[in-house]
């Protein structure tokens, strides 16, 4: 059966109103359902039916209210989309809010066969761009997605994502939500913090995690002196070229930092615009040695009562780099610590024991840090910080000479939220309301970060990491929904063995003045462990999304592919032992349908999907050669392999594109070296 996309659905294509439904009783919901689901039925009869369903399914009025607040009718778009990291899957995921319907896997650091990611030449080249010391590494650990921003709010044009495991950053273009670039940090092995962006996406900021030598050589990790002098962390500022939509490696730089494990980071806003902040742990510089009877890292790295917030000034750093005051290490500009100190680029502020999250308030004045082993969120006041910096009032220096600012003199105050506070998000600007995740307590706390008062608390299931609110880390948070990205999901979903999904719980925060956060929905997330996520207004991204590609587009460049093939221009050419094919695909055939080559030939197939109709995707599945691609309407993609074995290799379209989809196939015929090609094996329609 074919899929006729033209029929139905269109009339309901609207975006739900952004505001969450607030304060409706079950009876009103009955009427609402009547209005959207079955327009001809009257409200009274639906209410009767609703009561019956509630009874049969054991639903309370509360459950029904939650359902009404999350239900998005068939054919209606969600008002928001959530861009979630996908942890060890190496991907990103996009789902609608409040329906929690999964919309897309965005393949980034790891191969993904549906989209041909890592299996066609164009994506293989992008992956190669992120090579790790010369090796193409196909694993990734995505943590903190960040939308590009204009004036401190998401503009939704690009998204960035870090790979903690390999110290990489990727750029995604939201015209087609595809990865366009992967870059490897030339000096840092793992970058955990970030990606967070500066107010106008001048830079994408990532902080180091595990300190290591910059030089990729051996230096004994258990020798304290070696560790102290050669191991290094850093803050990397990746220059983003908005016009090209790519990171500009040439104008990116790293500020050298001590071998403390810099952790989560955030960019300043407004008054703190020029600064980047990160937390850190292991300011002890503990080198471990569990093998020799020493305490493990977990103990040695959390011995001190305080660690450091690191703050670096990218604006001044930019000038220092312009003056040539940097070292080139592995071809990358590094501002040595000494230069950074002399130029006032770096300061440390003590923060409670083994901190984790750090988030800058919408107005840029307050920096919220929470300590995993502390029960508080520490709220630092940027004005107090700047007062100390401007007057050079230091509490001493760390062993590397970096000025330390007094914790007492920079704190606005602390608010006790509970056990294991990790991350923060903000409610509508000027409300001064933030939400704090409590990993150990398995709860989310709503609090006023100016009055330092806890307002509300809700249990979650279980062990929450990050939180995401609508535009919740921008200058203009929108409130309404909060997602709790939980690590454990014990007992929440159908039992399926030892590997559990994570659990994303949707919480209603539509009334910032009310005390009642309200649990709405739980979504199992079975695709790697998400860390951070950002929720963006759907209207912003829908405006930008392309419906189809202009005919012959290479998504890697978003420009016309040199291999674009128009109907009638298909050809198969053999030069030496290279067979090159210019192929087209349209319902429901490939042209050519037969490709001849000989054992040992390199085979390159450029395929253009000639379709102009939306969602008429074809693709190219082929036996044995371990290549594939997705062919969205208008796209040109290339697969390449060596025909190393004699035989017949069927290929076909794997998308059910029409009634005659099964007939959309062909053969690659690999002849023995000494065999003769049949008549018409090669053709060339060139003018
Ligand atoms: S980290 Cu995972 S819960 Cu990478 Cu932002 Cu805190
Ligand atoms: Cu094209 Cu199936």
């Amino acid at each position: 059966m074919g899929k006729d996309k033209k029929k139905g659905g269109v009339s309901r294509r609207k975006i739900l109103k952004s505001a969450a439904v607030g304060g409706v009783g079950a009876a009103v919901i009955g009427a609402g359902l009547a209005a959207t689901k079955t327009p001809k039925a009257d409200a009274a009869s639906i209410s009767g039916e609703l009561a019956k369903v509630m009874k049969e399914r054991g639903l309370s009025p509360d459950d029904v209210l939650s359902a009404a607040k999350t239900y998005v009718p068939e054919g209606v778009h969600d008002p928001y989309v959530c861009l979630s990291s996908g942890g060890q899957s190496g991907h990103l995921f996009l789902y609608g809010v409040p329906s929690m319907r999964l919309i897309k896997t965005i393949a980034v650091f790891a191969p993904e066969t549906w989209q041909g990611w890592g299996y066609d030449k164009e994506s293989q080249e992008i992956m190669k761009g992120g090579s790790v010391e010369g090796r193409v590494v196909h694993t990734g650990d995505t943590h903190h997605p960040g939308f590009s921003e204009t004036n401190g709010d998401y503009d939704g044009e690009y998204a960035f994502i870090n790979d903690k495991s390999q110290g990489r950053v990727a750029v995604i273009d939201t015209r087609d939500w595809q990865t366009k670039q992967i870059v490897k940090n030339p000096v840092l092995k793992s970058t955990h913090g970030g990606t967070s962006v500066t107010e106008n996406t001048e830079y994408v900021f990532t902080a180091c995690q595990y300190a290591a030598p910059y030089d990729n050589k051996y230096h004994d990790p258990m020798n304290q002196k070696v560790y102290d002098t050669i191991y290094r962390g850093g803050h990397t500022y990746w220059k983003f070229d908005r016009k090209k939509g790519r990171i500009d490696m040439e104008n990116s730089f790293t500020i050298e930092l001590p071998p403390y494990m810099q952790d989560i980071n955030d960019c300043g806003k407004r008054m703190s615009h020029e600064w980047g902040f990160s937390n850190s742990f292991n300011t002890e510089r503990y080198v471990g040695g569990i093998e020799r009877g020493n305490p493990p890292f977990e103990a040695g790295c959390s011995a001190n009562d305080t660690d450091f917030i690191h703050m670096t000034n990218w604006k001044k750093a930019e000038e220092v780099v312009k003056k040539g005051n940097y070292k080139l290490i592995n071809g990358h500009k590094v501002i040595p610590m000494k230069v950074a100190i002399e130029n006032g680029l770096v300061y440390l502020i003590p923060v409670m024991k083994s901190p984790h999250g750090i988030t800058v308030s919408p107005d840029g004045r307050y920096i919220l840090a929470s300590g995993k082993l502390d029960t508080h969120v520490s709220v630092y006041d940027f004005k107090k910080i700047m007062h100390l910096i401007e007057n050079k009032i230091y509490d001493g220096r760390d062993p590397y000479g970096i000025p330390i600012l007094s914790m007492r003199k920079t704190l606005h105050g602390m608010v006790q939220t509970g056990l294991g506070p990790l991350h923060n998000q903000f409610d509508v600007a000027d409300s001064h309301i933030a939400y704090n995740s409590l990993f150990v307590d398995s709860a989310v706390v709503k609090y006023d970060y100016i009055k330092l008062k806890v307002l509300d608390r809700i249990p979650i299931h279980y062990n929450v990491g990050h939180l995401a609110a609508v535009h919740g880390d921008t200058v203009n948070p929108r409130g309404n929904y909060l997602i709790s990205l939980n690590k454990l999901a014990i007992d929440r979903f159908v039992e399926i063995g030892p590997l559990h999904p994570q659990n994303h719980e949707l919480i209603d925060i539509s009334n910032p003045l009310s005390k009642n956060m309200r649990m709405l929905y739980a979504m199992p997330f079975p695709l790697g462990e998400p860390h951070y996520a950002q929720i963006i207004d759907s209207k912003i991204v829908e405006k930008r999304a392309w419906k189809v590609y202009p005919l012959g587009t290479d998504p890697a460049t978003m420009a016309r592919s040199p291999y674009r093939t128009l109907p009638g221009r298909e050809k198969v050419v053999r030069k030496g032992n290279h067979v090159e094919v210019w192929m087209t695909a349209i319902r429901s055939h490939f042209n050519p349908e037969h490709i001849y080559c000989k054992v040992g030939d390199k085979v390159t197939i450029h395929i253009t999907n000639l379709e102009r109709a939306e969602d008429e995707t074809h693709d190219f599945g082929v036996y044995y050669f371990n290549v594939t691609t997705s062919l969205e309407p208008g796209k040109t993609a290339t697969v390449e392999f060596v025909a190393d074995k004699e035989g017949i290799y069927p290929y076909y379209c794997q998308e059910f594109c029409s009634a005659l989809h099964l007939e959309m196939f062909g053969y690659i015929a690999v002849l023995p070296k000494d065999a003769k090609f049949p008549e018409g094996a090669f053709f060339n329609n060139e003018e």
Side-chain angles (χ1 to χ4, degrees):
M1 84 189 152
K3 41 180 183 183
D4 187 355
K5 301 267 167 52
K6 295 265 139 36
K7 273 186 205 152
V10 179
S11 62
R12 307 197 70 171
R13 280 204 170 190
K14 53 175 182 176
I15 299 184
L16 272 191
K17 280 229 182 68
S18 296
V21 191
V24 247
V28 186
I29 291 161
L33 286 180
T36 50
K37 279 298 272 189
T38 39
K40 277 171 204 151
D42 62 284
S45 74
I46 289 295
S47 287
E49 170 102 26
L50 182 63
K52 200 174 143 218
V53 171
M54 284 171 69
K55 195 166 168 229
E56 275 169 12
R57 301 193 66 212
L59 300 175
S60 68
D62 231 36
D63 294 334
V64 175
L65 180 55
S66 294
K69 286 190 176 216
T70 55
Y71 179 68
V72 176
E74 189 276 330
V76 179
H77 298 190
D78 280 285
Y80 305 110
V81 281
C82 177
L83 177 65
S84 175
S85 73
Q88 316 89 316
S89 71
H91 301 320
L92 285 172
F93 298 92
L94 206 58
Y95 58 81
V97 178
S99 74
M100 309 300 269
R101 297 179 298 196
L102 194 56
I103 301 170
K104 189 175 180 180
T105 301
I106 303 158
V108 188
F109 300 106
E112 199 282 302
T113 57
W114 169 43
Q115 294 164 60
W117 189 254
Y119 297 96
D120 62 27
K121 229 187 150 193
E122 289 80 2
S123 59
Q124 283 165 345
E125 287 301 316
I126 292 170
M127 292 183 109
K128 218 188 270 172
S131 292
V132 178
E133 296 185 40
R135 164 175 286 180
V136 180
V137 175
H138 278 161
T139 66
D141 183 17
T142 62
H143 277 239
H144 305 103
F147 282 113
S148 58
E149 293 182 11
T150 299
N151 203 15
D153 199 359
Y154 307 150
D155 58 51
E157 292 189 357
Y158 295 91
F160 308 95
I161 181 66
N162 73 313
D163 165 19
K164 168 169 165 166
S165 66
Q166 312 298 324
R168 295 185 289 195
V169 170
V171 181
I172 289 100
D173 185 334
T174 62
R175 283 177 294 176
D176 62 353
W177 291 93
Q178 195 194 285
T179 303
K180 302 299 173 190
Q181 184 187 27
I182 300 175
V183 295
K184 164 77 182 98
N185 194 305
V187 292
L188 303 178
K189 306 257 190 276
S190 68
T191 50
H192 183 198
T195 50
S196 67
V197 302
T198 54
E199 274 189 316
N200 286 298
T201 324
E202 294 93 342
Y203 289 93
V204 179
F205 174 32
T206 57
C208 181
Q209 180 92 91
Y210 301 111
Y214 282 176
D215 69 1
N216 298 332
K217 298 228 169 71
Y218 166 77
H219 301 278
D220 187 358
M222 279 189 62
N223 181 314
Q224 188 72 53
K225 203 170 160 219
V226 167
Y227 186 85
D228 291 349
T229 53
I230 298 176
Y231 282 57
R232 287 292 177 264
H235 280 182
T236 299
Y237 291 95
W238 299 96
K239 180 77 193 160
F240 185 60
D241 184 333
R242 170 86 67 157
K243 244 188 171 160
K244 290 191 180 140
R246 298 291 183 275
I247 281 168
D248 171 5
M249 294 283 282
E250 191 71 10
N251 288 303
S252 302
F253 57 85
T254 294
I255 299 173
E256 181 192 16
L257 292 174
Y260 315 141
M261 312 310 193
Q262 287 84 34
D263 195 34
I264 309 306
N265 62 252
D266 197 12
C267 289
K269 306 177 175 85
R270 302 300 187 241
M271 69 176 77
S272 55
H273 167 64
E274 297 181 1
W275 295 87
F277 304 88
S278 81
N279 254 322
S280 68
F281 66 90
N282 198 23
T283 49
E284 296 85 352
R285 283 171 287 144
Y286 182 59
V287 295
I290 195 170
E291 314 79 4
R292 301 175 191 177
N294 294 336
F297 279 128
E298 63 170 325
C301 295
S302 56
N304 291 353
D305 283 339
T306 55
D307 286 285
F308 287 127
I309 287 178
H310 296 52
M311 52 188 287
T312 52
N313 187 311
W314 59 264
K315 198 86 196 250
K316 276 194 197 161
E318 202 172 48
E319 285 159 30
V320 166
V321 167
K322 257 190 211 131
K323 282 188 201 136
N325 221 342
Y326 59 82
K327 262 206 255 175
L328 262 192
I329 303 178
N330 304 331
H332 176 70
K333 290 167 178 158
V334 177
I335 301 178
M337 233 182 315
K338 199 165 158 277
V339 175
I341 295 165
E342 283 166 6
N343 286 276
L345 306 184
V346 57
Y347 297 91
L348 302 172
I349 310 172
V351 59
M352 292 307 287
K353 206 179 184 61
S354 299
H356 189 50
I358 190 158
T359 323
V360 178
S361 66
D363 64 359
R365 174 160 175 188
Y366 298 97
I367 294 115
L368 278 50
S370 12
K372 309 185 287 274
L373 299 181
D374 181 44
T375 56
H376 297 89
V377 175
S378 302
V379 182
Y380 291 84
D381 184 342
F382 184 73
K383 283 193 176 165
K384 293 184 175 180
I385 292 172
M386 284 319 286
H387 172 76
L388 298 185
I389 290 177
E390 276 157 16
N391 295 289
K392 297 194 160 57
I393 302 167
Y394 306 143
D395 244 23
R397 291 177 184 263
D398 85 330
Y400 297 88
I402 304 176
I404 299 171
L405 308 178
S406 155
M407 181 174 178
R408 193 173 49 81
K409 289 181 191 153
T410 51
L411 266 180
H412 164 69
M414 292 166 95
V415 51
Q416 186 156 29
T417 53
L419 291 178
L422 295 188
H423 297 288
N424 289 286
Q425 285 282 284
F426 296 96
D427 207 323
V428 286
D430 303 330
S431 70
H432 299 147
I433 288 170
Y435 299 88
N436 184 224
S437 60
L438 299 174
F439 178 83
V440 177
D441 269 356
S442 286
V444 171
V445 164
K446 173 176 176 174
Y447 65 104
D448 185 317
Y449 61 89
I450 303 291
K451 292 186 186 138
L452 306 170
K453 230 177 81 191
V454 170
L455 304 171
D456 192 16
R457 183 184 163 107
I458 189 172
I460 56 82
H461 317 88
Y462 302 93
N463 300 89
V464 51
H466 276 273
L467 299 170
V470 180
H471 290 235
D473 58 2
T474 69
V475 298
N476 184 20
R478 317 283 210 267
N480 283 329
Y481 298 105
L482 182 75
I483 294 173
S484 176
L485 292 86
N486 308 327
K487 306 296 187 189
L488 306 191
I490 306 162
D491 77 18
R492 305 321 281 183
F493 307 109
V494 173
E495 299 289 339
I496 45 140
L499 184 61
H500 291 251
Q502 277 77 40
N503 183 12
H504 284 197
E505 287 182 312
L506 181 69
I507 299 167
D508 181 0
I509 56 165
S510 55
N511 186 356
L513 300 176
S514 121
K515 279 207 161 183
N516 304 322
M517 283 189 277
R518 183 194 170 87
M519 183 60 71
L520 292 175
Y521 190 75
M523 174 184 73
F525 196 96
L527 303 155
E529 187 200 313
H531 293 260
Y532 190 40
Q534 286 185 340
I535 307 174
I536 190 171
D537 192 324
S538 299
K539 289 194 291 291
I540 296 174
V541 288
E542 284 204 312
K543 250 192 340 225
R544 182 168 161 86
W546 282 6
K547 301 232 181 266
V548 297
Y549 289 112
L551 193 63
T553 300
D554 173 0
T557 59
M558 294 300 260
R560 181 184 290 187
S561 165
Y563 306 111
R564 177 174 98 139
T565 307
L566 297 177
R569 297 295 178 89
E570 298 88 352
K571 56 184 175 173
V572 181
V573 178
R574 188 170 190 264
K575 272 189 197 138
N577 59 353
H578 183 201
V579 174
E580 197 163 9
V581 183
W582 282 260
M583 183 187 275
T584 57
I586 192 163
R587 274 164 291 173
S588 298
H589 58 270
F590 293 107
N591 185 9
E593 293 181 333
H594 299 89
I595 297 168
Y596 291 91
C597 59
K598 283 188 182 172
V599 173
D601 281 0
K602 183 167 98 175
V603 179
T604 309
I605 307 172
H606 313 290
I607 319 167
T608 298
N609 180 350
L610 298 172
E611 302 281 357
R612 304 317 297 140
E614 221 183 306
D615 204 11
E616 272 308 334
T617 296
H618 302 287
D619 75 359
F620 188 81
V622 60
Y623 179 66
Y624 180 75
F625 293 114
N626 200 30
V627 294
T628 185
T629 188
S630 171
L631 298 161
E632 297 92 280
K635 177 164 153 184
T636 295
T638 299
V639 294
E640 193 170 81
F641 53 87
V642 174
D644 55 359
K645 201 168 71 61
E646 177 194 332
I648 293 298
Y649 304 85
Y651 58 86
Y652 70 105
C653 169
Q654 303 170 121
E655 288 267 335
F656 211 112
C657 52
S658 76
L660 292 171
H661 147 80
L662 294 178
E663 286 77 357
M664 192 167 176
F665 72 101
Y667 292 105
I668 296 169
V670 184
L671 282 67
K673 271 204 164 93
D674 49 4
K676 225 182 124 217
F677 286 115
E679 195 71 24
F682 305 101
F683 61 97
N684 184 344
N685 288 335
E686 267 174 318
E687 56 284 6

